[in-house]
Amino acid sequence: MTIFEDAPAQPHGSPQSIGASWMSAPYPVVVADAGGRIAEANAAAAALFPGAARGAALEDVAPHWLADAHRRTAGRELAAPVRSVRGRHRSLTLEAHPTPGADGDVVWWLVDDTDRLLAESALRNEQERTAFLAETSTRLLASLNVQRCMDVTVRLAAENLADAALLVGPANGRQHPLASSVGGDATRQTTARIDPASVPGLGEALQGFPPVPSRWIDPSALPEWALPEGFAGPVGSVVVCPLPGHGVPAGALILLRRSDHAAFDDSEEVFARLFASRAGSALSAAHLYSEQTSITATLMADLLPPALRQVHGVEFAGGYRASRDAERIGGDFYDVHPGAGPGEETLAVLGDVCGKGLDAAVLTGKIRNTLHALLPLADDHENMLRLLNGALLNSSHTRFATLVLASVVRRGGQVRLRLTSAGHPPPLIVRHSGAVEEADTSGTLIGALPRIRAHTAHVDLAPGETCLMYTDGITEARGGPLGDTMFGEARLRAAVADCAGMPAEAVVERVQLLAADWIGDQRHDDMALVAITAPQQAHLTAVDGHTPGRYTA
């Protein structure tokens, strides 16, 4: 305790231990005796408590919490610990520190603690809001699903910002997607035809304009669709916030509070906009991801290899494995274009584009589409390949391709094929006896030379015999005990020799299994297979005669 050297004489009743220095203290100081009457009060205390004159009862001029604290403190032993107390007086928050005297008097030092408490309260609120915004970002960015983001947005808003929240998405035609939650409970999502102009500020928010102050919105004028199901009681205040997105608005958020709750103040409106900005960014990212996923799925649908089946009495089976397990498309491809009728040729194509990945897959798509357009010319393979070569030479890319064309038709129990290779390994013919032959076809690759040549082979398949077309991803697959040996044509021939008499699907599955075992977890090229098999003739009488594999011999 500071004691001034030129301090005035000690006032009556003041504790001996502190002298009279409190008289010049900048803080209010009141000295009360053991009976609760004021002995002295400095000028600051007199200004704070106008009736604080000598002899006045402390409880009459000071707040009750100070009088109660004086009754507990006066008369205590000096060695006993004393505690400060805090309470409100008018608009101030005061902290009173007692100093007991030997004669039972107590000097109460009063400190205005209002600003510190307000600052602490503001800091605590900001910390809570910052933590909430961090949680908001974490939960919103946990998913790129649009419905999930809408669900999280209205739940968080209804739990932390308002009594209920309604999210209005951008119009899809004449319908607006809506999501609502009351008190953070389960959300309700639907679409409805609404009039945004019926809610002040909503139309502007959906166009990305700044929000209007909540005091401009008449809660009683809200349309019925703007009140979430389960919201009880009249609306007391409304806030409409835009949800800003990446270039275009992601929607708008309507916050509702009941009339028995405090209305939104300015700081809460600002905080609601901060929340809306995060929700809008997450929703916009989810919309963008959904759109890109839809586009990718549409484009990939034409790039994926088709599911093969029996066509006009001939079995077709295909197998494909991209060079990377995470990819579904690559540079190898196959297609089967059924003939118009049982007596018409079916065109099967298997090809290999130079390169891997998406760029190669895009070129395979172009080749497949071009061949589809050239189907009317399929009776002349060389002419068909010449036209395809011209189309690829006129493109801007520098890639080339190899492929095999197979025109297939069934004549009685036999299956006749016209096989034409364009720089591709010739197909293997697996006879019923287990002998494996190589089709006598050859030609130049496509997309590299101005002129091409091709030689077509004619092959007949007896029942149970198979023509296997494959890409070099099978024969050049490196693996084995040391991991650096190619699978090779000899192993392929041995593998298919064991498949004599098997259905087309079984042939493809066996070759794929052997190749996969050979490479193990080694890197490999795209691998594609197409098997064309003449079905066995004597079908069981209990079936319709067309089910694959149901035969007696």
Side-chain angles (χ1 to χ4, degrees):
M1 181 63 63
T2 302
I3 301 177
F4 297 96
E5 294 180 354
D6 57 349
Q10 180 177 332
H12 172 73
S14 62
Q16 297 291 336
S17 58
I18 62 173
S21 58
W22 53 269
M23 292 296 291
S24 57
Y27 298 100
V29 180
V30 175
V31 180
D33 59 20
R37 294 196 171 275
I38 296 176
E40 293 291 347
N42 66 0
L48 184 64
F49 307 130
R54 180 178 297 180
L58 182 63
E59 60 184 1
D60 293 339
V61 299
H64 65 87
W65 56 267
L66 181 58
D68 294 341
H70 179 77
R71 281 192 287 271
R72 294 193 300 269
T73 305
R76 299 180 63 173
E77 296 181 0
L78 291 178
V82 293
R83 300 178 59 183
S84 60
V85 294
R86 178 182 296 163
R88 299 281 298 176
H89 177 64
R90 299 174 184 167
S91 61
L92 304 178
T93 299
L94 301 176
E95 191 172 72
H97 300 272
T99 302
D103 55 356
D105 292 355
V106 179
V107 180
W108 288 98
W109 305 81
L110 301 173
V111 178
D112 184 359
D113 213 21
T114 306
D115 292 340
R116 184 178 68 84
L117 291 178
L118 290 176
E120 289 180 351
S121 177
L123 177 61
R124 186 167 52 253
N125 289 338
E126 288 302 320
Q127 290 173 336
E128 292 175 353
R129 289 179 174 181
T130 301
F132 170 65
L133 290 177
E135 180 191 0
T136 297
S137 298
T138 301
R139 293 181 60 179
L140 285 172
L141 296 177
S143 173
L144 288 176
N145 180 276
V146 176
Q147 282 69 36
R148 174 64 178 162
C149 283
M150 295 175 67
D151 178 272
V152 173
T153 298
V154 293
R155 275 178 182 265
L156 288 174
E159 285 177 355
N160 301 278
L161 304 178
D163 295 322
L166 174 68
L167 192 153
V168 182
N172 184 9
R174 296 183 177 181
Q175 300 283 327
H176 286 264
L178 304 175
S180 61
S181 176
V182 178
D185 292 338
T187 61
R188 182 175 183 270
Q189 296 196 22
T190 183
T191 58
R193 186 173 180 177
I194 63 172
D195 179 14
S198 58
V199 177
L202 179 59
E204 292 80 359
L206 289 173
Q207 298 178 48
F209 289 104
V212 299
S214 63
R215 61 181 180 276
W216 292 7
I217 304 174
D218 181 6
S220 62
L222 286 180
E224 185 177 353
W225 61 262
L227 302 178
E229 185 177 337
F231 183 81
V235 181
S237 58
V238 182
V239 165
V240 178
C241 292
L243 298 174
H246 302 298
V248 294
L253 184 65
I254 302 176
L255 303 177
L256 307 174
R257 277 187 182 170
R258 298 186 181 92
S259 58
D260 55 350
H261 289 179
F264 292 100
D265 58 29
D266 293 342
S267 66
E268 289 175 323
E269 289 188 39
V270 172
F271 184 65
R273 294 170 200 165
L274 292 175
F275 170 80
S277 65
R278 283 163 171 74
S281 297
L283 271 172
S284 182
H287 278 294
L288 183 61
Y289 177 78
S290 176
E291 183 179 357
Q292 290 181 341
T293 301
S294 177
I295 293 173
T296 302
T298 301
L299 295 177
M300 187 174 290
D302 286 337
L303 298 177
L304 291 174
L308 303 188
R309 56 185 173 80
Q310 192 177 74
V311 179
H312 300 322
V314 181
E315 294 180 11
F316 291 88
Y320 179 78
R321 181 177 178 180
S323 58
R324 298 176 183 173
D325 293 337
E327 294 179 348
R328 300 175 61 193
I329 56 176
D332 290 1
F333 67 95
Y334 60 79
D335 258 329
V336 171
H337 304 280
E344 301 292 332
E345 288 183 329
T346 295
L347 180 66
V349 183
L350 180 137
D352 181 1
V353 171
C354 173
K356 303 176 184 177
L358 182 60
D359 292 340
V362 171
L363 183 56
T364 65
K366 180 174 182 178
I367 294 175
R368 292 171 65 184
N369 291 334
T370 304
L371 288 174
H372 198 181
L374 296 175
L375 277 180
L377 306 177
D379 56 345
D380 186 347
H381 285 179
E382 186 171 357
N383 185 38
M384 196 175 189
L385 292 173
R386 187 180 301 110
L387 295 173
L388 176 62
N389 185 62
L392 295 185
L393 288 176
N394 291 331
S395 301
S396 58
H397 59 77
T398 58
R399 296 179 184 273
F400 57 87
T402 65
L403 53 88
V404 176
L405 301 180
S407 292
V408 186
V409 64
R410 181 171 179 174
R411 299 291 187 225
Q414 301 285 316
V415 172
R416 294 182 176 177
L417 299 97
R418 289 189 296 115
L419 299 170
T420 305
S421 170
H424 203 82
L428 297 178
I429 309 301
V430 186
R431 298 301 181 184
H432 203 281
S433 62
V436 179
E437 305 169 2
E438 188 176 274
D440 183 20
T441 177
S442 61
T444 52
L445 49 81
I446 302 299
L449 302 174
R451 293 185 180 181
I452 65 167
R453 60 174 180 80
H455 172 69
T456 300
H458 296 265
V459 176
D460 289 339
L461 298 179
E465 295 181 341
T466 297
C467 170
L468 180 68
M469 302 189 294
Y470 62 95
T471 59
D472 58 8
I474 298 290
T475 55
E476 296 179 0
R478 292 186 179 274
L482 300 179
D484 58 352
T485 306
M486 290 195 296
F487 187 72
E489 189 174 337
R491 288 188 180 83
L492 177 61
R493 284 173 174 259
V496 295
D498 295 337
C499 300
M502 289 185 179
E505 287 186 358
V507 176
V508 170
E509 289 179 1
R510 177 165 178 76
V511 174
Q512 281 190 307
L513 179 62
L514 292 175
D517 287 343
W518 183 258
I519 60 177
D521 57 356
Q522 301 283 332
R523 297 180 61 183
H524 60 88
D525 200 354
D526 299 326
M527 295 187 291
L529 289 166
V530 170
I532 305 170
T533 300
Q536 303 286 356
Q537 287 183 311
H539 287 269
L540 293 172
T541 55
V543 297
D544 58 6
H546 298 287
T547 305
R550 301 297 182 89
Y551 53 87
T552 58

